[in-house]
Amino acid sequence: MAESWDDSHELGSQSDDSFQFERQYIEPIYDAFICPLTKQIMKDPVTIENGQTFERGAIEKWFNECKENKRKLVCPLTLKELKTTDMNPSIALRNTIEEWSARNEAVQLDVARKSLNIGCPETDILRALRFVQHLCQKNHSNKHLIRNTELIPMIVDMLKSSSRRVRCRTLDTLRVVVEDDDDNKEIMAEGDNVRTIVKFLSHEQSKEREEAVSLLYELSKLESLSDKIGSVNGAILILVGMTSSKSENVLTVEKADKTLENLEMNENNVRQMAENGKNGLECLVGWGGFGFRISLVKMK
């Protein structure tokens, strides 16, 4: 049976595999960790005059609303009047929450690691990939953790999946993992991985092409990798074709164009672009029976 795939599916949606992952594997949450206003785990807990504790941003908003609406200054929990808006950081509670979060994330990451296997169910792999994204987006230092636990090669292996959903989520996850992290980019680009990413530029599904070019754009920001991308046979030709394609979405065209700009940092790439442009080369480039017809008339 053919696998269906909706190109409009938002990979970063908070629908959200990562939070299902957390709910399933997390340690018990203590009531003291939860802000009475936001109902979320506090990141910056502060204690007000009457001893009640809230998330800083939430209680500040409450105080501002009291002032703007000319209401009495009261505690949102007890509704008793307050004399001051003073807030004291609850350092001990914040440290306890951070330690609790670190323990839980370590457990969840171990579960995610076990799920990053081609033989695992699609839902488990997607959930694990989304959790990795969640960690990286939560704190940049977690990207070091992903690298040091050798998860990047395991994530790359998911590109071999027969599931389009898994492949697209993998490309998106790799983009998040390498963004603003040169060490992760170097690891991601080891072996034949760059060539594998380039092949996705010619896949039939537009979502795979979009995710692949976004990942290549991040990698191309590192000068040492711009040469590696340009050296892949057909990479520059395909990128040029994408920039002039009327069938690609605006984001894909924009990322392809910016990737080419980054590739110009390398002399060999510039020479290749110039030679192709000078000769007005027209060729058909493709893998797996799918290709782009590219006409190079003028290069920057």
Side-chain angles (χ1 to χ4, degrees):
M1 181 176 178
E3 180 185 8
S4 63
W5 173 253
D6 179 3
D7 280 349
S8 66
H9 180 71
E10 186 179 355
L11 291 175
S13 172
Q14 298 290 316
S15 47
D16 187 7
D17 291 332
S18 66
F19 294 111
Q20 293 175 19
F21 194 88
E22 289 183 71
R23 285 197 297 268
Q24 186 173 357
Y25 299 110
I26 205 165
E27 288 181 20
I29 301 175
Y30 297 98
D31 291 341
F33 293 177
I34 305 298
C35 172
L37 290 174
T38 66
K39 308 301 181 186
Q40 301 294 321
I41 297 171
M42 291 182 283
K43 296 180 180 178
D44 187 11
V46 294
T47 302
I48 62 174
E49 174 191 321
N50 65 354
Q52 299 295 334
T53 302
F54 302 89
E55 176 68 39
R56 181 186 294 275
I59 193 62
E60 285 179 343
K61 181 180 179 182
W62 172 267
F63 286 159
N64 289 335
E65 288 176 351
C66 287
K67 181 178 179 180
E68 291 171 1
N69 297 322
K70 298 181 179 180
R71 298 197 309 258
K72 284 185 178 181
L73 185 65
V74 299
C75 170
L77 194 59
T78 65
L79 298 182
K80 291 185 177 180
E81 191 169 353
L82 301 171
K83 296 179 180 179
T84 176
T85 60
D86 289 349
M87 296 174 287
N88 295 313
S90 183
I91 297 174
L93 178 58
R94 184 180 65 194
N95 290 341
T96 300
I97 292 174
E98 288 177 352
E99 291 170 1
W100 172 87
S101 295
R103 289 196 305 272
N104 278 284
E105 287 172 355
V107 172
Q108 293 157 2
L109 192 58
D110 184 57
V111 174
R113 184 185 184 88
K114 293 174 182 176
S115 298
L116 291 174
N117 187 301
I118 292 295
C120 288
E122 179 190 76
T123 53
D124 289 355
I125 297 174
L126 291 173
R127 193 174 295 142
L129 290 170
R130 187 65 187 95
F131 179 68
V132 171
Q133 286 183 288
H134 168 70
L135 276 185
C136 292
Q137 291 166 337
K138 178 181 178 182
N139 192 319
H140 188 275
S141 65
N142 285 332
K143 296 190 178 188
H144 305 166
L145 177 63
I146 299 301
R147 177 172 67 251
N148 294 337
T149 53
E150 301 182 345
L151 273 175
I152 295 177
M154 297 180 69
I155 297 171
V156 172
D157 278 347
M158 296 304 100
L159 293 174
K160 301 173 184 176
S161 172
S162 60
S163 164
R164 291 194 185 105
R165 290 179 184 273
V166 169
R167 294 196 302 268
C168 280
R169 179 61 61 81
T170 298
L171 290 166
D172 190 46
T173 301
L174 288 170
R175 177 190 59 79
V176 172
V177 169
V178 304
E179 190 173 23
D180 298 323
D181 194 304
D182 290 351
D183 290 332
N184 283 0
K185 288 177 183 177
E186 293 281 6
I187 293 174
M188 159 71 234
E190 289 178 352
D192 209 31
N193 291 340
V194 171
R195 177 177 172 78
T196 298
I197 303 303
V198 170
K199 287 184 177 181
F200 276 95
L201 297 180
S202 61
H203 274 215
E204 184 175 357
Q205 290 293 328
S206 63
K207 192 63 180 176
E208 287 180 293
R209 297 198 300 275
E210 178 185 329
E211 297 297 345
V213 76
S214 293
L215 174 54
L216 280 177
Y217 169 61
E218 288 301 327
L219 294 175
S220 70
K221 293 178 182 179
L222 190 61
E223 188 171 356
S224 62
L225 295 186
S226 67
D227 177 53
K228 194 163 190 175
I229 295 171
S231 67
V232 175
N233 186 34
I236 289 177
L237 291 174
I238 296 175
L239 287 167
V240 171
M242 295 177 85
T243 62
S244 60
S245 173
K246 295 182 180 180
S247 61
E248 298 289 354
N249 65 45
V250 175
L251 178 61
T252 300
V253 171
E254 180 182 321
K255 286 296 175 68
D257 188 54
K258 288 184 176 180
T259 302
L260 285 170
E261 289 181 6
N262 289 340
L263 295 186
E264 290 176 359
M265 293 187 294
N266 182 274
E267 185 178 340
N268 292 331
N269 293 339
V270 173
R271 186 181 301 111
Q272 184 182 162
M273 293 177 190
E275 288 175 354
N276 289 338
K278 180 180 179 181
N279 295 332
L281 179 64
E282 184 178 89
C283 63
L284 184 65
V285 181
W287 283 279
F290 184 82
F292 292 100
R293 181 160 294 280
I294 302 169
S295 181
L296 299 181
V297 178
K298 182 179 180 181
M299 297 296 296
K300 294 180 181 179

